Amino acid sequence: MPTSLKKSDAPLEGRDGLAALNERVRADLAVLKLPPAEWTARATTGDGASFYDVIIVGAGMFGLSAAGSLMFKGIRNIKLLDRASAGKEGPWVTFARMLTLRSKKDLPGSPFGIPSLTFRSWYVAAFGEAAWETLYKIPNAVWQDYLIWIRNVLELPVDNDCDVVGIAPYADHVALTTADGRVIRAKRIVIATGRPGAGGFNLPAGVSEDLWPDLAAHTSEMIDFGRLKGKSVAVIGAGSSAWDNAATALETGAGRVEMFCRRKALPQLNKGRANANPGFFAGWRGLSDAKRWEMAVYLERVQTPPPHETVLRTIAHDNFEVHFGKPFKTIARNGAKVEIAFTDGESRQFDFLILGTGFAVDLGREPMFSALKDRILTWGDCYQPPEGMANAGLAQMPYLGEGFELKERGVEHSAVSRIHIFNTGSYLSFGTLSLDVPSVNPAGEHLASHIASHLFVDDFDVLFKRLKDWEEEHELEPTPFYAPDYVNRA
């Protein structure tokens, strides 16, 4: 099967297969009695306006995992908000420019423990068993179609084109402000905004900001590659996204693409394969601060190689060249050109610059957190690494509680703990649990379990009253020992 396969390429019989799968999902959920009845207490503001139990900001892969996991715990008064239009959530059909996912095709996807919700079940229903057997890796657009199917078959409530610009935590809820001026309230909120959503892209020192938008872009931005036809393009960085973007520029007609990186050679081992297992997913959080820091520093230093498919895709073009051991000093505008001054004294000019420099984690750079940035407890506040292990990027990461919740500087119990960071910002606290495809299922389960516990505690008075008032089943009524006068005596 070609790697560019999209759902629209499915055979017509795939429609019947998907209809049958939808029925099987409904039957499986009925047998499992899922989702359970809603149990939380509905809440209102002082002026009588109701608010949600949980709002999830971001309706991509991890946002849907959070929503489904909550729903399957009887937490159904939820809403997902995403700034993207419907079908464009997450990176898969926007700025993720690899042809396929990096992960293997046989990962379950986001099934919540239900076989009929696995990626394989959906793919076979859509394209057939023979197509599954010949599939190598999952094309991006096909993965996006699977996520959309999960959203639809579970009827997860999503509001698209909704950009959250402000967060205000209160004692009993959190208020979100949207770009169009609305205020939406919930007992708890989950920030599931992916890799770019914890501080934006990393802009290295020495790169002039006035290169944007006409002369530069980061790999996480939308790029009109057609505009680069016949042009010279410089790519800074040699990670996976840098190679993806170099290949895309070459495939769409760039005249010359040159890649520059500090390393003398590419990393050779994908250590991510070694830590994508339940031990790392469940155990990272239980490590001491020192061991978590040590692990994160080690993984950052060894880094991850780009997939061999991406490298081969790029070097297939004669007009591509990579320069190792070539760090830059400054990158600035020079008329209509980008001028790169390297540390070895050489200076070069290009028509366009693409930065493959990864992402920063700094919640203070996110507009929605601007009012909270001085309150958020960070790893730099909590842990002083030994000599030789300092890392400014890791120090900026939020220091999270057991359920991904924020903590406040100098305050043991704070309203900011109603905000759960379910994106790259959780990395040092939880490892890759809320970052990559292999962990999407256990991540949602972990988050939902803790939120369910918090909501139970928050709603205890109402739930206890319900328990006291409950009289639906008089168990002993058919027996000679039925004594209605003793109902609800304690």
Side-chain angles (χ1 to χ4, degrees):
M1 176 178 300
T3 56
S4 60
L5 179 67
K6 297 182 180 180
K7 188 173 178 181
S8 58
D9 300 318
L12 290 177
E13 59 264 33
R15 299 175 186 174
D16 294 333
L18 286 172
L21 178 61
N22 291 345
E23 286 300 318
R24 194 174 73 175
V25 170
R26 283 189 277 272
D28 287 346
L29 295 183
V31 169
L32 294 167
K33 294 186 70 65
L34 291 174
E38 184 177 11
W39 55 265
T40 57
R42 293 284 172 146
T44 59
T45 60
D47 58 5
S50 62
F51 50 85
Y52 294 97
D53 286 326
V54 183
I55 289 175
I56 301 165
V57 181
M61 178 172 69
F62 278 93
L64 296 178
S65 175
S69 298
L70 289 166
M71 186 178 72
F72 286 153
K73 292 190 181 301
I75 302 168
R76 303 172 72 170
N77 181 26
I78 64 175
K79 176 70 76 174
L80 296 100
L81 309 176
D82 200 292
R83 67 178 59 167
S85 57
K88 301 292 186 182
E89 305 88 354
W92 310 111
V93 294
T94 52
F95 65 85
R97 298 181 177 106
M98 65 276 204
L99 296 179
T100 68
L101 271 62
R102 323 248 189 238
S103 307
K104 296 180 179 180
K105 71 175 185 180
D106 57 0
L107 288 172
S110 192
F112 311 100
I114 301 167
S116 56
L117 288 174
T118 60
F119 173 78
R120 178 171 181 169
S121 294
W122 173 83
Y123 190 89
V124 170
F127 302 107
E129 190 68 47
W132 169 259
E133 294 301 327
T134 58
L135 179 67
Y136 173 54
K137 288 186 176 179
I138 304 169
N140 289 10
V142 172
W143 181 250
Q144 181 77 347
D145 285 342
Y146 165 69
L147 295 175
I148 292 170
W149 174 75
I150 287 285
R151 164 181 168 173
N152 291 337
V153 77
L154 296 181
E155 299 180 354
L156 300 177
V158 180
D159 282 359
N160 286 98
D161 303 304
C162 182
D163 190 8
V164 176
V165 296
I167 298 175
Y170 296 94
D172 61 347
H173 74 281
V174 181
L176 302 181
T177 303
T178 63
D180 59 5
R182 288 180 294 155
V183 176
I184 309 173
R185 303 177 190 273
K187 297 174 189 173
R188 295 193 169 262
I189 66 167
V190 174
I191 308 298
T193 47
R195 291 184 182 273
F201 64 77
N202 181 41
L203 183 67
V207 180
S208 177
E209 294 186 30
D210 72 358
L211 292 168
W212 275 260
D214 55 317
L215 293 181
H218 188 269
T219 55
S220 64
E221 296 181 290
M222 299 305 294
I223 300 174
D224 180 4
F225 284 94
R227 192 166 60 86
L228 304 182
K229 189 171 183 178
K231 301 291 183 68
S232 60
V233 179
V235 178
I236 301 296
S240 297
S241 65
W243 286 88
D244 291 332
N245 280 259
T248 304
L250 291 161
E251 290 164 355
T252 50
R256 186 177 85 256
V257 176
E258 295 189 49
M259 179 181 288
F260 302 93
C261 57
R262 292 171 296 178
R263 286 179 172 259
K264 305 282 188 186
L266 292 175
Q268 299 297 300
L269 296 174
N270 186 351
K271 298 283 186 173
R273 302 288 189 212
N275 65 12
N277 63 62
F280 274 84
F281 298 154
W284 183 294
R285 182 68 185 85
L287 294 172
S288 66
D289 289 355
K291 289 187 181 297
R292 284 187 283 179
W293 187 279
E294 180 184 9
M295 185 94 73
V297 169
Y298 169 77
L299 290 171
E300 184 169 306
R301 287 176 178 174
V302 299
Q303 295 197 339
T304 300
H308 68 272
E309 300 95 336
T310 302
V311 174
L312 294 174
R313 173 189 170 198
T314 310
I315 65 175
H317 299 266
D318 294 335
N319 52 338
F320 170 75
E321 187 174 1
V322 58
H323 305 272
F324 294 107
K326 191 79 171 176
F328 71 88
K329 185 177 181 181
T330 60
I331 305 179
R333 180 185 292 267
N334 187 340
K337 297 282 188 179
V338 176
E339 184 166 347
I340 307 177
F342 297 96
T343 56
D344 60 8
E346 183 184 10
S347 183
R348 298 274 305 278
Q349 291 190 357
F350 293 86
D351 294 316
F352 197 77
L353 171 73
I354 297 177
L355 287 179
T357 50
F359 300 100
V361 175
D362 182 358
L363 295 185
R365 290 174 49 179
E366 282 295 308
M368 71 176 84
F369 284 101
S370 59
L372 299 176
K373 61 183 179 181
D374 295 328
R375 296 172 58 182
I376 295 171
L377 187 72
T378 67
W379 271 81
D381 298 321
C382 300
Y383 180 70
Q384 181 64 43
E387 187 176 351
M389 297 283 282
N391 186 301
L394 295 178
Q396 289 184 145
M397 291 189 174
Y399 190 94
L400 303 179
E402 292 286 343
F404 295 93
E405 65 269 21
L406 289 173
K407 294 186 174 185
E408 185 166 357
R409 288 188 175 113
V411 181
E412 186 173 350
H413 301 290
S414 165
V416 302
S417 67
R418 293 185 174 275
I419 304 167
H420 300 256
I421 304 300
F422 202 49
N423 60 17
T424 317
S426 73
Y427 172 59
L428 190 48
S429 295
F430 284 89
T432 59
L433 187 58
S434 64
L435 268 69
D436 295 320
V437 174
S439 62
V440 64
N441 217 41
E445 172 62 24
H446 182 97
L447 174 76
S449 293
H450 282 274
I451 288 182
S453 176
H454 286 304
L455 291 176
F456 184 84
V457 172
D458 288 346
D459 296 348
F460 175 74
D461 290 342
V462 174
L463 299 178
F464 192 21
K465 184 177 186 305
R466 282 184 193 169
L467 176 64
K468 292 176 179 178
D469 294 344
W470 188 82
E471 294 187 23
E472 291 182 18
E473 295 180 18
H474 290 229
E475 185 70 28
L476 295 179
E477 189 171 5
T479 77
F481 303 101
Y482 181 52
D485 289 342
Y486 282 85
V487 169
N488 273 332
R489 287 192 183 183

